[in-house]
Amino acid sequence: MASDGARKQFWKRSNSKVPGSIQHVYGAQHPPFDPLLHGTLLRSTPKVPTTPAKAKRVSTFQEFESNTSDAWDAGEDDDELLAMAAENLNTEVVMETAHRVLRNHSQRQGQPTLQEVPATKQEPKPMAEPPVAEPSAAPSGDLRLVKSVSESHTSCSTESTSDAIPLQRSQSLPHSATVALGGTSDPSTLGSSALSKRESSRLDKFKQLLAGPNTDLEELRKLSWSGVPKPVRPITWKLLSGYLPANVDRRPATLQRKQKEYFAFIKHYYDSRNDEAHQDTYRQIHIDIPRMSPEALILQPKVTEIFERILFIWAIRHPASGYVQGINDLVTPFFVVFICEYLEVENVDTVDVSSVPSEVLRNIEADTYWCMSKLLDGIQDNYTFAQPGIQMKVKMLEELVSRIDEQVHRHLELHEVRYLQFAFRWMNNLLMREVPLRCTIRLWDTYQSEPEGFSHFHLYVCAAFLMRWRKEILEERDFQELLLFLQNLPTAHWDDEDVSLLLAEAYRLKFAFADAPNHYKK
């Protein structure tokens, strides 16, 4: 066992700095005050000691420990530290710095602070150029931000006050605030600028992908899941629906052949609409079209004729289901997307086709028919006799909701609200009667990107859609009020952001439940 002398020798402090050596930490005590660390507070010339300084003896750790008072003990440590600081301070530098701080404060007094500018919506005063902090303005070898006015003056005493303060403020401000000082103070302008830049970047990705000789449909689906930019939406939908081939060289011939084929159907079948075998079908179509939305589009005579032809030809060529109410709504998104390729419209609900040439309208009609047919091929059991596809999906929705949120499920059961009473229309019309047309178009961007999007993924969208109104559903305590709410949900103000959140939640539910069928079983 080592002797006491050896232990003391071991704990002696060494003046030599060894790489990787550990420095002592003294717990909850005042850190030793070292005036050398505060170089800006020293006099410009070293102070000559009045009394000869004694040689500082190296102390051991035990001696330091015995001579150090705990921080919680009352003592005169603070007074000694202050006295030491006062002894090493340059009074002239301190007074000069204090006067500058007071002078700068008085100059800035009366001007609105940074926090007040966005609150009062005031425009900033015009400036010759924004205060930008250049790297060369900082002292050499020290790239730290200036923390206080006094430090900025003492460390850069050669700079003038008017130059130092803007630099210090511009360095300390966040980037967005610095931009606001030099230019616009409207955050919405900055947000829209960033948004347009992001949209432009996405559009470039789509154009680059579509420009190749053979479009990678899998990559196109990945890009389209988060929404398709308006300029490339028509061609993207035609590709994703399987209407157009991936090979660019084959597309013109395919379009020409399919359009010719569609108008051959019209020539062959459309005159039979008044025959006894088909007049009931045509009459029902003729009744349902004026009930569709948006009225501003549907009630245009040219549009009404186009929709009647599309729906009648499809019903004649698909006798297993024929025409069923709900199919008529599925024509609108395709028609609007394809016609917006030739029209500059901001609001899809107010599309006017009067200025579109007849030949263009004919091609749009054919494209709409074939794309709608591709969609219905995947969900045709929704419209066969007794609509078994819808019955099954509503049942699956009920079981899924009972697993996701049993409280909502029990609440609906308690008030005797059946899922068929509100969810049948969700499945039959693919939520088109529940959300605005602009939201349906955004929704279908993702549906066409998902495998079995209209048949399988739609179930999880409906579940997420119901959960979106959880709070309002639980607040209703009456059968009639609850059912009226579920049949008239307040979505008129919805936009792409609301749809994106809905789709994200639907994807989360799909990820959790799609590969776990036992979750459906009780």
Side-chain angles (χ1 to χ4, degrees), residues 26-30 69-72:
Y26 300 119
Q29 299 180 12
H30 292 293
S69 300
D70 190 81
W72 300 108

Side-chain angles (χ1 to χ4, degrees), residues 108-124 169 181 185:
R108 293 200 306 270
Q109 201 169 23
Q111 296 179 359
T113 61
L114 178 64
Q115 291 79 4
E116 292 172 346
V117 172
T120 56
K121 304 281 185 184
Q122 293 177 349
E123 292 294 328
R169 287 177 62 83
L181 286 176
S185 61

Side-chain angles (χ1 to χ4, degrees), residues 53-110:
K54 296 181 180 179
K56 190 171 182 180
R57 187 176 66 88
V58 177
S59 60
T60 64
F61 178 78
Q62 285 83 359
E63 292 173 344
F64 174 83
E65 185 180 21
S66 62
N67 293 330
T68 304
S69 300
D70 190 81
W72 300 108
D73 294 340
E76 298 181 354
D77 291 342
D78 294 341
D79 296 336
E80 293 177 358
L81 291 174
L82 290 175
M84 184 185 297
E87 188 175 291
N88 289 278
L89 289 178
N90 187 328
T91 308
E92 295 177 359
V93 174
V94 172
M95 294 305 296
E96 181 184 356
T97 303
H99 284 309
R100 286 180 180 175
V101 171
L102 294 174
R103 188 163 55 249
N104 294 330
H105 178 74
S106 61
Q107 289 176 357
R108 293 200 306 270
Q109 201 169 23

Side-chain angles (χ1 to χ4, degrees), residues 250-510:
R250 292 175 53 203
R251 290 175 194 169
T254 301
L255 278 175
Q256 187 177 5
R257 176 172 56 84
K258 300 299 284 185
Q259 290 166 359
K260 185 178 180 180
E261 187 177 351
Y262 170 72
F263 287 106
F265 292 157
I266 290 180
K267 185 177 180 179
H268 185 73
Y269 295 113
Y270 195 61
D271 289 339
S272 66
R273 63 188 182 279
N274 294 319
D275 293 353
E276 185 176 356
H278 304 309
Q279 63 181 357
D280 289 342
T281 298
Y282 179 75
R283 183 171 62 251
Q284 189 62 52
I285 292 171
H286 190 72
I287 291 172
D288 288 344
I289 287 178
R291 300 173 179 172
M292 296 168 61
S293 61
E295 291 185 0
L297 170 68
I298 301 301
L299 297 182
Q300 297 176 51
K302 289 183 179 180
V303 177
T304 302
E305 293 173 7
I306 289 172
F307 278 41
E308 285 180 353
R309 286 195 292 266
I310 290 173
L311 292 169
F312 183 77
I313 296 300
W314 191 89
I316 294 300
R317 288 190 50 78
H318 296 81
S321 61
Y323 173 75
V324 178
Q325 286 179 316
I327 295 178
N328 53 315
D329 284 330
L330 308 184
V331 181
T332 310
F334 289 113
F335 181 80
V336 170
V337 166
F338 295 157
I339 204 167
C340 283
E341 188 176 6
Y342 303 93
L343 297 173
E344 290 293 334
V345 291
E346 292 296 329
N347 187 356
V348 295
D349 294 336
T350 59
V351 173
D352 184 2
V353 303
S354 60
S355 61
V356 181
S358 299
E359 187 61 30
V360 172
L361 279 177
R362 283 171 57 86
N363 295 337
I364 291 173
E365 180 180 344
D367 296 342
T368 301
Y369 170 81
W370 288 114
C371 288
M372 187 199 73
S373 298
K374 292 287 186 179
L375 186 161
L376 288 169
D377 286 347
I379 57 173
Q380 193 169 352
D381 61 341
N382 285 7
Y383 305 105
T384 54
F385 178 74
Q387 299 181 270
I390 292 180
Q391 300 278 351
M392 179 182 65
K393 288 183 178 69
V394 171
K395 181 63 178 174
M396 291 174 67
L397 175 66
E398 180 177 358
E399 293 175 350
L400 181 59
V401 171
S402 69
R403 299 297 180 184
I404 297 170
D405 195 327
E406 188 174 0
Q407 187 178 3
V408 169
H409 178 70
R410 295 296 183 194
H411 186 76
L412 295 174
E413 279 190 339
L414 179 65
H415 294 87
E416 300 181 349
V417 175
R418 302 290 175 256
Y419 282 76
L420 270 175
Q421 294 171 328
F422 63 88
F424 181 89
R425 190 172 71 183
W426 296 8
M427 304 298 178
N428 192 51
N429 303 82
L430 298 178
L431 289 177
M432 283 195 60
R433 296 293 179 97
E434 320 308 320
V435 298
L437 178 58
R438 62 183 180 274
C439 295
T440 298
I441 291 172
R442 168 62 190 91
L443 197 64
W444 284 23
D445 286 342
T446 301
Y447 279 5
Q448 297 196 81
S449 307
E450 277 279 330
E452 300 181 335
F454 292 97
S455 58
H456 186 62
F457 187 63
H458 180 68
L459 168 68
Y460 299 97
V461 172
C462 289
F465 189 61
L466 183 64
M467 293 299 100
R468 166 65 178 78
W469 312 103
R470 181 183 191 277
K471 179 176 178 292
E472 292 82 355
I473 290 171
L474 294 177
E475 287 176 351
E476 296 292 347
R477 302 292 181 179
D478 177 73
F479 166 81
Q480 184 176 356
E481 294 297 326
L482 188 54
L483 191 58
L484 283 175
F485 174 76
L486 289 171
Q487 292 179 345
N488 300 275
L489 294 166
T491 60
H493 65 283
W494 272 33
D495 55 18
D496 285 1
E497 185 177 351
D498 295 287
V499 177
S500 297
L501 292 173
L502 178 69
L503 290 167
E505 177 63 15
Y507 185 83
R508 187 186 69 82
L509 295 176
K510 178 192 173 187

Side-chain angles (χ1 to χ4, degrees), residues 11-22:
W11 284 109
K12 281 188 177 181
R13 290 186 178 183
S14 174
N15 291 330
S16 61
K17 294 184 179 180
V18 181
S21 60
I22 301 174

